Amino acid sequence: MNEHEIKTLITEMTQEPQPASTIDVARAVRNGHRARRTRSLLQIGAVFATAGLIVGGMSVMATGRKASAPVMTPTGARFDPLVRSADFGWVPKGMTERSVYVGTRYMSLVAGTPNGRPYEFFFPQVGVTLFPVGQRIDSEVVTRMARDIDNKCPHGDQVGDTPRIGGRPTQWVYARDLAGSHCRSTPVELRWQYAAGAWAVAKIEPDAGLANQGVYLRIADNLRVGETAPVSKPFRLTYVPPGLHVIETTDDRSFSTGVKWRTSLDLSADADGPPTRGYPDDKHTPMSIRVEVSPVAAVDPADEDGPLNTTVDGHPAFWKKSGDGWEALRVIGVHGFQVRINAFKAGNGVPLRVLRGLRLLGPDRAAWTTRPVG
Amino acid sequence: MSRADDEYTARIQELLPRLRRTAYLLCADWHRADDLVQATITRLYVKWRRARAADNLDAYVRTMLVRQFLGEQRTGWRSRVSVVERTPEPVAAASDVDAGLDVRRALTAVPARQRATLVLRFYCDLTVDQTAEILGCSSGNVKSQTSRGLAALRRILEPASVREEGA
C-alpha cells in the first residue's frame, strides 16, 4: 500500500455518512464572551438593561438631562498600570463587587452584584473603559457583553451623536437586535470624552434590568477621573527575568463576602503590548509573566488549568509545561494564598524561581505594597 | 451581535465542514470531533482579534484544532489511555468490513501524534515543513512520525498474507 492509496483511503473516510452536527457557533460566541470575561479576567465593558425597558425614555433622557459637572482632568497618552486614575462615583444599588484592570492603553472599571457561587467571581454588569488621550476606542478591549439577540431583527450596531457630556463629544451606540426589543433601537453603549481627546465607554449588561439612558448618564456624570491612587499588591517579586515591564494590573474584589478577591500583575518584554493574562496568543507573543494571588477561600477546585498534579514545598500544586515555551504553576496554601504564575518564553523553571522570590504580605490591605516588583 | 461577531460567525460557517472532517480524522469519532471543533472555535473566538488578522485563517484554525486534539490527549481522562509507540497487532479484520471502517479502526490504533501527522500530510496536503510548524517539532521528526504512522497503517490495513509475501 503506497502513500497515494493511503491518502485516498483517508479522504474516502471523510465521505462516509455523517451524523448531524452538534457544533453550535452561537454557543462558541457566548462561551467565548464568558472566557474573555472570567478566565482572562478580560477587558471590560459592562452594561445593563433589559431590552424592553430601554427604549421608551431614550430621547427624553438624551435631551432633557440636567448637565452636571463631573471633574474632568486630562490624562497622559499612556496609563501607568500601577496607578488607578479613575473610579466609579456611582453605580446602581446592590452592585457591591468590583474589578479594576489597568493597562497601558486602557483602564477598566467593572461592577456587579454577587452571583452567590462559591468559586466564581461576579458577572460584570456595569463597566466603564477609559482610554488615554489620543487613543482611539478599541472595541476589542471594551468587552462586548453577552446579550440575547432576536435573529429576526437587523444586526449591526449604529452610532449616533447626542448632547454633550461636559461639553465634549458624546455618542450613543444602538442595537436593533436585542431580544425583546421588537427590533427598536436600543442603547447598548455610551461613549464620551472624559477629557479633551480622551474617550470613555460605558456599557451595561442588557439582562441586568437597568439599561436605560438615565443610568448610563448617571454613571458617566459621576465618574471620578484624574485620580492618582497607587495600585497595591499583596506580594513583592524579588525575582523576575530581566527586560520585563509591568503592563497590566488587575484587582477583583467581592465586597459582599470580604474574603473573595483576586489580584494579578502582568509583565511583558513589550512595554506597550497587550497583556497575555497568562495565556499567550501564539508564538509571536513576547516573553511574559503573570502572577496572580488569591486567598485559599477563593480557590476553585475545578480550576480550568487542570487538576493538581504535584506538590511544591509540601503544598498541593499544578504544574504544566508545553513545547512552545509556556509554563504554568499553581500552588495552593502558601501562607493561606493560592499563587498562580504563568510564564511564556521565560525559560525553564522560571515560575518556580519567581515563586521562590515571592514575598507575600498577608491579607491586610494596609500592609500591601505599591512597589510589587524589585 | 456586533460586526465582529457577525464576521466571526460567517467565517466559521465557511470553515466548519472541513474543520469537522479534519477533527473526525484525528479522533475517529464524530461526536468527539464535534466537541473538539466546539472547543476550538470557542478558543478562536477569544483570540479572534489576532486570528482575523492571520494571513491564512484556515491554517490558523487548523493549527488550533490539532493542538487542541493533542492537548486533550495529554490531559484529562484521555491521558489515562495508554498511547504506545508501536501499535499492537490488530485483531484480524473480517474481509467483508468496508474499507472506511477499516481505515477508521486503523487510524485509531495509530498513536495520536502520528495520526495528526498523517492527517496533516495526507488529508490537509501540508508539506513536511508546514506540518512541523503546526506540531511544533522538527522536519526530521515529522518524517519519522510519518514513516512510523504509515507503517502502522499498513500493518493494520494490509491482510496478513500480503505482509508475509512482502516480508
Side-chain angles (χ1 to χ4, degrees), chain A residues 154-286:
Chain A
H155 300 307
D157 294 348
Q158 298 171 320
V159 178
D161 289 333
T162 190
R164 296 178 166 219
I165 294 177
R168 295 197 180 87
T170 304
Q171 296 174 333
W172 285 103
V173 176
Y174 303 100
R176 286 179 294 170
D177 57 0
L178 278 186
S181 70
H182 306 292
C183 305
R184 285 180 294 188
S185 291
T186 304
V188 292
E189 188 173 304
L190 173 64
R191 302 172 171 181
W192 76 103
Q193 287 196 9
Y194 64 92
W199 286 93
V201 178
K203 299 193 82 172
I204 304 173
E205 185 182 22
D207 292 336
L210 297 162
N212 62 63
Q213 288 185 305
V215 175
Y216 273 106
L217 293 169
R218 192 167 174 188
I219 290 169
D221 279 349
N222 288 278
L223 191 73
R224 298 200 304 263
V225 295
E227 300 193 338
T228 54
V231 170
S232 61
K233 295 291 164 192
F235 56 82
R236 194 164 60 84
L237 302 171
T238 63
Y239 168 76
V240 291
L244 292 176
H245 312 270
V246 176
I247 59 162
E248 187 188 56
T249 57
T250 76
D251 193 4
D252 299 281
R253 193 172 177 188
S254 164
F255 286 90
S256 64
T257 65
V259 296
K260 203 158 69 171
W261 53 264
R262 177 173 56 192
T263 184
S264 73
L265 186 73
D266 269 71
L267 302 108
S268 170
D270 181 356
D272 283 322
T276 66
R277 300 194 172 103
Y279 300 90
D281 278 341
D282 54 35
K283 66 181 182 182
H284 303 297
T285 301

Side-chain angles (χ1 to χ4, degrees), chain A residues 26-83:
Chain A
R27 181 155 57 94
V29 171
R30 285 196 304 275
N31 291 344
H33 271 303
R34 192 173 301 124
R36 283 177 169 181
R37 272 197 320 230
T38 55
R39 186 188 88 167
S40 315
L41 298 181
L42 221 223
Q43 306 113 336
I44 288 334
V47 202
F48 22 119
T50 313
L53 292 176
I54 314 170
V55 188
M58 214 159 58
S59 58
V60 175
M61 293 307 301
T63 56
R65 183 176 65 92
K66 190 165 62 177
S68 58
V71 177
M72 296 293 186
T73 307
T75 61
R78 187 177 184 279
F79 290 146
D80 179 348
L82 289 169
V83 175

Side-chain angles (χ1 to χ4, degrees), chain A residues 69 99 137-139 175 198 202 207 299 361:
Chain A
S99 289
I137 292 174
D138 181 352
S139 56
D207 292 336
V299 169
L361 306 174

